[in-house]
Amino acid sequence: MLNINLWKLLTHTTTSVVLLTTANFGLPVVSLAQQPISFTSNLSTDYLLGGGDRIRVNVFEVPEYTGEYQVPPGGAINLPLIGSISVLGLTTEQASDEIARRYARFLKRPLISVNLLSPRPINVFVAGEVTSPGAYTLSLQGTGGDNPGLQYPTVLAALSTAEGVTLAADVTRVQLRRKVGRSQEQVITLNLKAITETGRIPLDITLRDGDTIVVPTATQLNVAEARNLFAASYAASQTEPRTVAVTGQVYRPGSYLVSPGSITPQAGSVNPSTTGSGLPTVMRAIQIAGGITSQADVRNIQVRRQTRTNIRQTINLNLWELLQSGDLDQDLILQDGDTIVVPTATEVDTAEATTLATTTLSPATIQVGVVGEVKQPGLTELQPNSSLNQAILAAGGFNDARASSTAVDLIRLNPNGTVTKRIVKIDFSKGINEETNPILRNNDVVVVNRSGIAKTGDTVGTVSGPLGLIFNVLRLFGL
């Protein structure tokens, strides 16, 4: 026959779970830590006593044994007559029964109650995909005593204290690990996405001292879900600037500070500027990096992200699809430390290049030098992905009396620092093509030479102005 105290424990809803998992009834004991508990399982929500709690032990009919105690870190308090007794990891009811059992050696049918007067702060550990993993101390609201009204902090509050989950998080598998008694552990899996979508919390997810929250890394990132996660109250700050790197086929590769509302280059970057309001996305980062060049492959943009668990995520984006269909899921919201890679196209589609020139991915204008025998020589501002023919026409066209209109020189400063010159035959009847009407790049120089008649009429050594400067440049580079 079970004794009275054991019967009371077995009939108590939450403590019976503990007993049934620790007692040996001839069956194998399965650790709860190895089998995550679903929402339908009983998660222990009892308050477990520990160091820092202030309690009152009432010994009825023996008032001289009644007193208030501060539980020390080790959990053992000293009571009259029975001496040291540990209440660490016990509920107030379990502590009452344990103290009654010890007093039973000296008192006949002792009646004991333990009341929580002042709870200790709750210490939790937050790990995984949060902005600032680590240990945190959370305060309780209310008091115990005769009118208990404790309000425990929640999982969402702990995530906010850790500065929110990162955009690499899998919020459908957040783990809450809790010690039960002195040796067992419960683990439940929380689907924060479902809670956010439905507004229903199917389980009390308030925290207890010693809890651990683990936010795993998403194995596959869904850009649409990441956008929704960015707006969640438990996500990382929406206004905190994030440092990203932009490399590849952009006009100003480098490191930039990106924040909602503005994009500002890092200290030391050239051409500082800002843009209008908006989210800190890939599109906006490319804009502040000067926009894409004519060689960019916008269908295969990559974002490389280092997670808190040291797993690198690679996210592939098709910005052409975004531009064509308005699919915002292709415009990823950035996280601190992201690297954006704009690859080089294996071949350039001229129709696509013309379309890209009118989008926000491209810079507003590029500068091309058109010098020599044109009507308006000098620097000319063109729309990105403009062709050689368009540059000549923008400079007023050929100076008919002096220009050699059959071919021009195209001088280009390459990304590796070298300078190249090529002769391009002119044919205004042709569309964009690499042989007679190539797409120009920023800082290209087009040299329109003199015709044979003009050369004969000019005196050697009197060449001056922009054309003379270009000739000096050509001689300097041996071109």
Side-chain angles (χ1 to χ4, degrees), residues 309-329:
T309 53
N310 292 322
I311 298 173
R312 171 175 281 189
Q313 290 181 335
T314 300
I315 305 122
N316 297 310
L317 304 174
N318 185 342
L319 295 187
W320 178 256
E321 186 175 328
L322 166 63
L323 297 172
Q324 293 299 298
S325 64
D327 183 9
L328 289 177
D329 289 349

Side-chain angles (χ1 to χ4, degrees), residues 346-383:
T346 54
E347 58 180 82
V348 177
D349 184 305
T350 54
E352 186 172 306
T354 302
T355 301
L356 285 173
T358 63
T359 69
T360 56
L361 275 177
S362 297
T365 60
I366 62 172
Q367 286 191 330
V368 173
V370 184
V371 297
E373 299 302 338
V374 289
K375 294 176 182 178
Q376 298 171 10
L379 286 177
T380 301
E381 287 196 347
L382 299 172
Q383 191 179 60

Side-chain angles (χ1 to χ4, degrees), residues 454-478:
K455 289 179 181 179
T456 302
D458 289 337
T459 303
V460 177
T462 62
V463 179
S464 60
L467 185 56
L469 176 61
I470 289 298
F471 285 162
N472 290 333
V473 171
L474 293 177
R475 285 195 295 269
L476 177 63
F477 288 99

